[in-house]
């Protein structure tokens, strides 16, 4: 292993792995290291992803999120096809169950047209004809939405980095960051690593890593647990299409949905419950440092005051399987309590500013020789390849 690298990418989730691969392909003469603190790449957000290839229908037309999602869906499908990773375009139904949601559905249909996404408005009868087990006053059908295995894509990207001559370091924790005019020195659990430039894709630890690099951190990474259930195998054919509720535009979460998987399964989720451990996946996980950081961050108190009812409802449904079921029965009334079997939760890294505002789009911070990907929200998995291109553009611009 060389003593010094041209580029180091810290964080081997799908965005980090895609970034390392993009550097390797764009600059084959440069040395690249992909480093992660876990024994396997993609162990956190990527490894707990629902597998949806998003179309970009939710996002503000012309926003970075909308553009990256549209490009990312095409790139994800092409990558999966080229590398033998399973994927299917099965479509999505956004189901309206009351008059308020019908109005929101029409607004989404208009947004889809501006975003150049094909979407068809269905009546309640047309919805029932398409999906007999789904009920609603109407639905928006988005044919372009698909499913894949992002964990497999993540692993393949890391392998491609190595095949291109890059270096992979797992089970290596960054303990300190020192930047000079000539280089960045990473103090790690396996010794010092030197690089001309470092990209940090640290997910839920992004604020701590940025602070370690000397950046004035005006945000906090807040963990939201996304809790899932699997539908028992004999009922996995309940729907053929992804089925979503109409989302709340004020929140960065899409609501509990039914998701067929590429291996023939069906899962339900996720909800969004404040987590008390950034990397604690079992229910009731608690970490003293993580809890202290939440309660001492002023922005979190703003979030709590603004979302008391929503937070209480999510917590209640988290504690009650029957309450969780009722969320699904709004649009899938034939789903039963004994259909739901436990599945490991995921944790979403959500950046929150000091004033309590959620960061809805991508957020980056940099120094002369480091770039920190702070907020890479859903659809980061879908958009990983074009996000990586954007990151490398910024790195190339900084080093020019």
């Amino acid at each position: 292993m060389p003593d010094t690298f041209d580029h180091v990418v810290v964080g081997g989730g799908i965005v980090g792995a895609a970034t390392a691969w993009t550097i390797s392909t764009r600059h084959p003469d440069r040395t690249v290291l992909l480093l992660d603190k876990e024994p396997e790449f993609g162990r956190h957000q990527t490894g707990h992803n629902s597998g949806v290839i998003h179309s970009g229908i939710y996002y503000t037309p012309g926003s970075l999120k909308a553009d990256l999602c549209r490009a990312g869906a095409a790139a994800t499908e092409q990558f999966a096809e080229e590398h033998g990773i399973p994927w299917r375009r099965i479509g999505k139904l956004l189901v309206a169950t009351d008059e308020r949601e019908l109005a929101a559905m029409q607004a989404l249909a208009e947004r889809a047209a501006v975003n150049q996404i094909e979407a068809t408005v269905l009546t309640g009868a047309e919805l029932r004809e398409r999906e007999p087990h789904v009920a609603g006053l109407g639905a928006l059908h988005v044919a372009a939405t698909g499913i894949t295995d992002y964990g497999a894509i993540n692993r393949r990207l890391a392998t491609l980095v190595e095949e291109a001559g890059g270096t992979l370091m797992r089970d290596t924790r960054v303990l300190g960051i020192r930047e000079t005019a000539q280089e960045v020195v990473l103090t790690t659990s396996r010794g010092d690593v030197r690089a001309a430039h470092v990209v940090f894709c640290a997910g839920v630890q992004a604020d701590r890593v940025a602070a370690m690099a000397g950046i004035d951190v005006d945000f906090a990474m807040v963990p939201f647990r996304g809790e899932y259930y699997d539908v028992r195998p004999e009922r996995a054919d309940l729907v053929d299409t992804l089925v979503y509720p109409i989302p709340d535009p004020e929140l960065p979460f899409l609501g509990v949905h039914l998701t067929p998987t590429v291996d023939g399964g069906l899962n339900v989720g996720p909800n969004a419950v404040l987590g008390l451990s950034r990397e604690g996946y079992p229910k009731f996980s608690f970490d003293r440092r993580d809890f202290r950081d939440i309660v001492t961050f002023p922005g979190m108190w703003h979030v709590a005051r603004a979302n008391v009812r929503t937070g209480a409802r999510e917590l209640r449904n988290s504690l009650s399987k029957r309450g969780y079921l009722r969320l699904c029965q709004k649009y899938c009334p034939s789903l039963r309590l004994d259909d739901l079997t436990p599945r490991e939760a995921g944790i979403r890294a959500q950046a929150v500013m000091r004033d309590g505002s959620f960061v809805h789009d991508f957020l980056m911070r940099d120094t002369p020789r480091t770039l920190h990907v702070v907020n890479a929200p859903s659809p980061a998995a879908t958009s990983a390849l074009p996000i990586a291109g954007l990151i490398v553009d910024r790195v190339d611009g900084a080093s020019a």
Side-chain angles (χ1 to χ4, degrees):
M1 186 177 80
D3 295 329
T4 301
F5 295 88
D6 294 311
H7 298 277
V8 173
V9 178
V10 175
I14 194 167
V15 173
T19 299
W21 180 60
T22 301
I23 296 170
S24 298
T25 53
R26 191 180 294 186
H27 303 293
D29 57 325
R30 298 183 187 176
T31 53
V32 178
L33 167 66
L34 178 61
L35 180 152
D36 197 274
K37 66 185 178 65
E38 302 293 349
E40 300 169 1
F41 293 121
R43 190 160 177 175
H44 293 292
Q45 287 189 101
T46 305
H48 296 82
N49 192 287
S50 60
V52 178
I53 304 173
H54 288 280
S55 65
I57 188 171
Y58 302 108
Y59 311 123
T60 304
S63 68
L64 185 59
K65 212 174 186 182
D67 293 344
L68 289 173
C69 187
R70 192 165 52 249
T76 298
E77 292 176 355
Q78 181 179 346
F79 185 92
E81 190 68 31
E82 289 178 353
H83 295 276
I85 295 166
W87 74 280
R88 287 186 289 138
R89 194 180 295 169
I90 62 172
K92 172 195 291 186
L93 287 166
L94 288 153
V95 179
T97 59
D98 58 34
E99 293 297 332
R100 182 185 58 84
E101 290 181 352
L102 268 180
M105 184 189 80
Q106 290 295 337
L108 280 173
E110 294 167 10
R111 176 168 287 189
V114 177
N115 277 330
Q116 299 180 319
I117 297 166
E118 183 180 348
T120 305
V121 175
L122 306 178
T123 64
E126 289 169 332
L127 167 63
R128 181 59 65 96
E129 184 178 353
R130 184 180 288 271
E131 286 288 357
H133 296 288
V134 177
L137 300 182
L140 194 63
H141 179 248
V142 186
T145 308
I147 52 174
T148 191
D149 181 345
Y150 285 114
I153 291 176
N154 196 153
R155 291 188 293 273
R156 181 59 183 152
L157 284 166
T159 300
L160 289 171
V161 171
E162 192 168 41
E163 289 176 356
T167 303
L168 306 181
M169 284 182 70
R170 303 173 182 84
D171 212 11
T172 306
R173 188 175 294 272
V174 174
L175 305 174
I177 302 167
R178 187 173 77 256
E179 180 176 349
T180 69
Q182 291 76 37
E183 65 176 0
V184 180
V185 181
L186 302 177
T187 302
T188 81
S189 54
R190 295 172 60 183
D192 285 355
V193 173
R194 288 177 158 79
H197 200 281
V198 182
V199 176
F200 295 92
C201 300
V204 76
Q205 306 293 349
D207 52 348
R208 292 171 179 168
V209 172
M212 199 185 299
I215 290 174
D216 181 20
V217 176
D218 56 350
F219 61 91
M221 301 308 298
V222 178
F224 283 91
R225 287 174 55 79
E227 296 169 334
Y228 295 87
Y229 287 96
D230 281 322
V231 176
R232 55 192 173 92
E234 55 269 33
R235 295 269 282 169
D237 60 353
L238 199 63
V239 295
D240 296 320
T241 311
L242 292 150
V243 182
Y244 280 65
I246 301 296
D248 183 341
E250 297 303 314
L251 295 173
F253 311 110
L254 299 180
V256 172
H257 45 270
L258 284 167
T259 307
T261 62
V262 288
D263 60 2
L266 178 66
N267 63 55
V268 181
N271 60 356
V273 182
L274 179 64
L276 301 182
S277 174
R278 294 193 182 197
E279 296 177 4
Y281 296 101
K283 214 174 186 75
F284 308 118
S285 292
F286 178 84
D287 181 275
R288 188 187 302 272
R289 181 188 179 192
D290 296 343
F291 177 73
R292 184 193 66 221
D293 285 355
I294 289 170
V295 298
T296 58
F297 177 61
M300 202 57 222
W301 290 99
H302 293 299
V303 170
R305 281 192 294 270
N307 296 279
V308 171
R309 292 180 64 183
T310 300
R313 184 181 67 242
E314 291 287 340
L315 180 59
R316 182 174 64 249
N317 291 332
S318 169
L319 296 173
S320 166
K321 184 178 177 182
R322 194 172 297 277
Y324 195 106
L325 175 67
R326 280 195 293 270
L327 295 176
C328 313
Q329 287 180 326
K330 282 184 64 179
Y331 55 81
C332 188
S334 61
L335 200 64
R336 300 190 298 266
L337 197 64
D338 63 356
D339 289 334
L340 305 183
T341 61
R343 178 186 177 94
E344 188 172 61
I347 294 176
R348 172 174 175 155
Q350 176 62 51
V352 177
M353 305 305 292
R354 285 189 180 277
D355 65 0
S357 58
F358 287 106
V359 180
H360 291 278
D361 219 327
F362 298 95
L363 179 67
M364 299 183 191
R365 294 282 190 266
D366 56 17
T367 69
R369 291 190 175 273
T370 71
L371 176 64
H372 297 254
V373 181
V374 170
N375 201 61
S378 178
T382 298
S383 307
L385 293 169
I387 291 171
L390 187 70
I391 291 169
V392 178
D393 287 345
R394 287 185 61 153
V395 171
D396 288 347
S399 58

